[in-house]
Amino acid sequence: MFQALLLTQSDDRRTHAALAELDESQLPAGDVLVQVSHSTLNYKDGLAITGKAPVVRTWPMVPGIDFAGTVIESADTRYRAGDAVLLNGWGVGETHWGGLAQKARVKADWLLPLPAGMTAERAMAIGTAGYTAMLCVMALQAQGVTPDRGPVLVTGANGGVGSIAIALLSRAGFTVHASTGRLGEAAHLKSLGAAEVIDRATLSAPGKPLQKERWAAAVDSVGSHTLANVCASLHYGGVVAACGLAQGMDFPATVAPFILRGVTLAGVDSVMAPYARRAEAWSRLAAELPAEVLAGNTATIALGDAPAVAARLLAGQVRGRVVVDVGR
Ligand code: NDP
């Protein structure tokens, strides 16, 4: 038997989250059985656990789009008992039981070996949010964005994606401007590497199609009017890596920045990203993100705390990253 957070749906379509004792035989099909040691809470996990958006596709569901742990048994030759592994996305925690449990059974194709020198806890302090931040940095660099082009804006700065994007970009030599609704956290954002902190209210309302050119590039996890205003404020030839919808899924923009300033909108998806891109992102995260940056940006909780913290995450009250120690 092992412990898991189990989500069920009642007749009135409300989601209920509770700790449950499960048997290994109840786990879904897969070729690798993993002893999970740590998982994490991302925005999507918050949506799943609270039921605020239809993230969960089959019921009951063990949420958790990420986990790290050790292989117990494997029917696939790429993994052996004792191997340290991690997983992000692939619909885990949405259509296939996920990481907020002490055990998981998944397809070998979905796993990555834990990068050398990285602990499971550190991998989950990064989690999908940090891995997506790295995918955004890679997207900007693939478009030729270099530090000499000018400052880079990061929106949703105190969130998981935003906070790690700030740390990665500043360590890669970029001048980073951070947009936040929590100006009281400016000192923390500067400690991560932000050179300037701006009020997100200056970006969140409808704006003009073309505005003053302020940034060479941006990482946006917010969407909606914020993304539209960011596009309208990029330098000629600017690039925005768009990965999120914390303000909204809408994109009330015009084509003006694209056709008059040659702006590039680079979409970033972490869930179905191919293996080679994931492996590159994780190897760069291991090399470029110092452990002490993560330590100051991460809170660790027990499995039973996940429902309460998920609600606070969606309310924008969590700073940085949350690791779930599933053995606690
Ligand atoms: P978090 O909840 O950790 O952070 C989101 C941040 O966005 C908040 O901390 C807040 O930052 C800001 N924010 C919240 N509400 C609003 C609002 N109404 N208007 C403007 N800003 C707001 O989430 P994550 O960092 O984990 O994820 C961020 C987004 O990225 C989510 O939409 C998530 O679904 C998406 N995502 C997408 C992925 C992909 O594969 N494309 C992968 C991972 C995440 P502050 O307080 O500083 O203003």
Side-chain angles (χ1 to χ4, degrees), residues 149-264:
R149 292 248 205 127
V152 177
L153 177 71
V154 173
T155 64
N158 274 296
V161 174
S163 58
I164 295 187
I166 293 168
L168 289 170
L169 287 164
S170 70
R171 272 149 196 83
F174 291 92
T175 301
V176 182
H177 293 184
S179 166
T180 182
R182 287 180 268 177
L183 292 168
E185 296 289 353
H188 173 65
L189 297 173
K190 286 187 174 169
S191 77
L192 288 172
E196 271 187 40
V197 177
I198 67 168
D199 187 343
R200 78 182 191 200
T202 60
L203 292 169
S204 56
K208 290 185 182 159
L210 283 179
Q211 301 169 31
K212 185 178 163 214
E213 296 181 34
R214 297 171 71 186
W215 301 289
V219 170
D220 177 62
S221 59
V222 168
S224 191
H225 290 294
T226 298
L227 178 57
N229 286 320
V230 168
C231 290
S233 306
L234 290 179
H235 295 179
Y236 191 93
V239 185
V240 53
C243 71
L245 43 61
Q247 183 181 4
M249 203 197 256
D250 57 330
F251 180 40
T254 77
V255 296
F258 310 114
I259 65 173
L260 298 176
R261 288 192 185 154
V263 161
T264 298

Side-chain angles (χ1 to χ4, degrees), residues 244-323:
L245 43 61
Q247 183 181 4
M249 203 197 256
D250 57 330
F251 180 40
T254 77
V255 296
F258 310 114
I259 65 173
L260 298 176
R261 288 192 185 154
V263 161
T264 298
L265 179 55
V268 171
D269 166 61
S270 66
V271 181
M272 305 306 284
Y275 185 92
R277 197 173 309 147
R278 289 168 186 265
E280 182 187 346
W282 277 98
S283 123
R284 284 190 58 177
L285 285 160
E288 296 174 31
L289 199 54
E292 60 272 19
V293 169
L294 288 168
N297 195 48
T298 307
T300 301
I301 63 168
L303 198 51
D305 300 331
V309 179
R312 287 184 42 229
L313 186 94
L314 290 192
Q317 293 166 357
V318 169
R319 186 182 86 178
R321 300 279 303 128
V322 178
V323 168

